[in-house]
Amino acid sequence: MAELQEVQITEEKPLLPGQTPEAAKTHSVETPYGSVTFTVYGTPKPKRPAIFTYHDVGLNYKSCFQPLFQFGDMQEIIQNFVRVHVDAPGMEEGAPVFPLGYQYPSLDQLADMIPCILQYLNFSTIIGVGVGAGAYILSRYALNHPDTVEGLVLINIDPNAKGWMDWAAHKLTGLTSSVAEMILGHLFSQEELSRNSELIQKYRNIITHAPNLENIELYWNSYNNRRDLNFERGGDITLKCPVMLVVGDQAPHEDAVMADSGGQPQLTQPGKLTEAFKYFLQGMGYMASSCMTRLSRSRTASLTSAASIDGNRSRSRTLSQSSESGTLSSGPPGHTMEVSC
Ligand code: BEZ
């Protein structure tokens, strides 16, 4: 009998007819650490935070977030919020290569650029959505400016600095691999990379042929030189807002394979992520279930066993409280929701 092969299916549910992406406007602002570009979709909604995204290394806001934000079911959510998508310096489309010797901002400095963006837009609070390096940057921003962050969605965050073992492994890999391959190894699992699906081919092509690869390498270096976020369970350094922690079960450092997504769940499982995000927002008191017409009706228990859902209590602790390593925690009145997809 022919051997059964596991096939990874990427969820696809494009915009419905009549659903058109909202107009986008791209801006740049000067900050003490150089200029930063960001793109705003939609219009500000009274008494609502902006959804504010920060992408991972090797990507920009579009290659990181377009599949999620243009997912059909996501429209019902995002139409209620203005969205601000940051491109890390030198990652915006058409960015010129930085001159040799340019000092790229550290992740902490990238976080310190965010107040300039919010001031420029006159936005007072955000719900941050970050992946990898972007999740770290938004967490650092939230630690420094807790009153301006209403919630955080952190996808594949590593809050710790590289230890000496990580450095040794990194140096060894660097002897035989290109920067592009190392970044692909950060974004995707070895299994995904060797399976070489269409998605991997697409992202390998984007990164290997990026005209700004030198800039990408600078962001990569800043990521590798990050310091510990130093979260402490019950300690002084905690995120004060509700947090939705997401781990792709094929994320390079995630061993427990529980579901069917990849290292980048926002690319491969936009449906699951949309649904988890909906419950997260409901838990924060946004998106009353009566507003959730199409999404609520199409509820399919599609979240994985690792995701606990209890979205109807307003601003209360709803789900399992911390990550397994115990390094991320939020004290009352925040809540932490963990999703593996
Ligand atoms: C948005 O609607 O927010 C969006 C659209 C395209 C790419 C990324 C985000």
Side-chain angles (χ1 to χ4, degrees):
M1 200 171 77
E3 214 177 288
L4 286 178
Q5 282 206 329
E6 197 182 320
V7 178
Q8 185 166 356
I9 300 168
T10 299
E11 290 183 57
E12 270 183 42
K13 201 174 198 182
L15 295 178
L16 295 170
Q19 280 182 315
T20 44
E22 284 171 283
K25 194 158 186 325
T26 299
H27 311 256
S28 287
V29 287
E30 282 306 320
T31 80
Y33 306 104
S35 105
V36 64
T37 301
F38 52 93
T39 305
V40 181
Y41 286 77
T43 48
K45 306 289 182 287
K47 300 204 178 119
R48 278 181 185 255
I51 292 177
F52 189 99
T53 72
Y54 218 116
H55 62 86
D56 203 352
V57 178
L59 307 174
N60 57 26
Y61 92 84
K62 258 195 197 156
S63 55
C64 191
F65 290 111
Q66 184 155 294
L68 177 64
F69 281 79
Q70 290 202 334
F71 189 71
D73 286 348
M74 189 67 161
Q75 305 316 301
E76 200 165 354
I77 298 175
I78 61 175
Q79 70 190 4
N80 296 292
F81 297 89
V82 63
R83 285 92 65 198
V84 182
H85 303 286
V86 181
D87 278 320
M91 306 304 140
E92 65 276 15
E93 273 173 11
V97 170
F98 288 122
L100 214 63
Y102 172 78
Q103 181 69 47
Y104 198 80
S106 66
L107 293 200
D108 290 0
Q109 291 170 332
L110 292 174
D112 285 341
M113 291 170 144
I114 294 175
C116 301
I117 301 174
L118 298 182
Q119 219 166 46
Y120 175 90
L121 293 169
N122 204 16
F123 291 170
S124 48
T125 63
I126 63 167
I127 292 172
V129 180
V131 183
Y136 179 106
I137 292 165
L138 290 176
S139 301
R140 172 68 69 203
Y141 172 75
L143 289 173
N144 293 343
H145 303 270
D147 296 342
T148 67
V149 183
E150 295 198 29
L152 278 178
V153 177
L154 304 175
I155 302 171
N156 293 344
I157 186 170
D158 184 346
N160 299 319
K162 268 186 183 307
W164 68 268
M165 288 277 278
D166 300 318
W167 268 116
H170 179 72
K171 290 283 170 216
L172 274 178
T173 315
L175 294 177
T176 51
S177 306
S178 65
V179 172
E181 281 304 320
M182 287 208 282
I183 293 170
L184 285 161
H186 160 76
L187 297 172
F188 300 101
S189 67
Q190 281 313 311
E191 193 194 322
E192 284 178 299
L193 290 171
S194 50
R195 217 187 293 136
N196 203 23
S197 63
E198 244 176 67
L199 179 97
I200 297 294
Q201 286 174 36
K202 176 179 162 186
Y203 281 83
R204 179 171 270 135
N205 195 38
I206 290 177
I207 296 172
T208 339
H209 297 115
N212 61 339
L213 191 55
E214 287 96 328
N215 297 353
I216 296 176
E217 186 172 358
L218 296 176
Y219 186 23
W220 175 234
N221 291 342
S222 289
Y223 178 67
N224 288 315
N225 285 312
R226 71 194 180 278
R227 60 191 180 105
D228 281 344
L229 278 172
N230 274 326
F231 291 125
E232 282 169 35
R233 193 196 290 266
D236 290 339
I237 307 175
T238 57
L239 292 171
K240 303 287 190 283
C241 61
V243 177
M244 176 173 138
L245 270 182
V246 183
V247 183
D249 64 22
Q250 294 276 310
H253 305 294
E254 172 65 11
D255 293 332
V257 176
M258 286 181 281
D260 51 5
S261 180
Q264 297 290 309
Q266 81 286 2
L267 304 180
T268 56
Q269 296 284 321
K272 279 184 185 166
L273 215 47
T274 298
E275 192 167 22
F277 189 41
K278 174 190 80 169
Y279 287 112
F280 182 64
L281 291 173
Q282 282 182 344
M284 292 171 62
Y286 294 115
M287 314 293 305
S289 36
S290 56
C291 297
M292 303 300 297
T293 49
R294 204 162 59 82
L295 259 182
S296 304
R297 281 202 304 273
S298 69
R299 164 116 181 82
T300 56
S302 64
L303 288 167
T304 72
S305 55
S308 320
I309 306 162
D310 178 4
N312 290 329
R313 277 175 281 152
S314 181
R315 294 187 185 277
S316 61
R317 179 180 309 278
T318 52
L319 300 165
S320 51
Q321 203 225 325
S322 65
S323 70
E324 218 148 73
S325 62
T327 49
L328 271 170
S329 67
S330 63
H335 61 243
T336 303
M337 169 174 170
E338 294 176 24
V339 180
S340 165
C341 62

